[in-house]
């Protein structure tokens, strides 16, 4: 089974930046994405990317967050800039084989443990 390990979370000031990483135990994963979940809220898609490099991002993070993956497709990144308090959440990395909607949690079958991001 594929294992995902997130890192890079922490605390940041409003307007600051953080870079999250997700290391996978397998290569050439089809779809990878970042999700987040704040206390009392549903898990929401942040950004997702396929093997062809085509990416999608939630409207709330467009222009501020950038998703990318390395050439071996074993590491996923999320560059987060201009952070806002509303970005505070646990951030999860996920991978799936067939994803009609890369921002839908139900499309993914493997998840990491998450990394906390706090913006204040």
């Amino acid at each position: 089974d594929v294992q995902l390990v997130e890192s890079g979370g922490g605390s940041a000031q409003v307007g600051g930046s953080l870079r999250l990483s997700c290391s996978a135990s397998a290569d050439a994963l089809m779809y990878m994405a970042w999700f987040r979940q704040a206390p009392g809220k549903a898990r929401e898609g942040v950004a997702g990317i396929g093997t062809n490099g085509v990416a999608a991002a939630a409207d709330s993070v467009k222009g501020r967050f950038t998703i990318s993956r390395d050439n071996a497709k074993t590491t996923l990144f999320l560059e987060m800039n201009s952070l806002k308090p509303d970005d505070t959440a646990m951030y999860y990395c996920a991978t799936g084989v067939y994803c009609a909607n890369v921002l839908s949690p139900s499309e993914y079958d493997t998840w990491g443990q998450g990394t906390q991001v706090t913006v204040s």
Side-chain angles (χ1 to χ4, degrees), residues 3-118:
Q3 294 185 334
L4 304 174
V5 179
E6 302 96 334
S7 62
S11 297
Q13 294 183 337
V14 173
S17 300
L18 285 173
R19 188 186 197 215
L20 304 184
S21 299
C22 171
S23 295
S25 59
D27 59 8
L29 298 175
M30 292 297 292
Y31 293 90
M32 297 187 77
W34 289 100
F35 292 84
R36 67 186 181 186
Q37 188 166 18
K41 295 187 177 181
R43 188 167 297 190
E44 64 171 348
V46 175
I49 188 168
T51 53
N52 57 5
V54 177
D59 289 343
S60 59
V61 305
K62 282 180 180 177
R64 300 189 299 121
F65 291 10
T66 302
I67 189 171
S68 62
R69 61 196 299 180
D70 67 343
N71 289 336
K73 299 179 176 60
T74 59
T75 307
L76 184 70
F77 303 99
L78 186 68
E79 188 74 37
M80 305 188 295
N81 299 311
S82 302
L83 285 164
K84 304 176 181 180
D86 284 349
D87 296 321
T88 296
M90 185 70 79
Y91 283 71
Y92 298 91
C93 173
T95 184
V97 177
Y98 301 108
C99 296
N101 179 357
V102 296
L103 298 181
S104 173
S106 64
E107 302 277 1
Y108 295 84
D109 51 20
T110 301
W111 295 81
Q113 293 299 308
T115 185
Q116 178 67 39
V117 171
T118 303

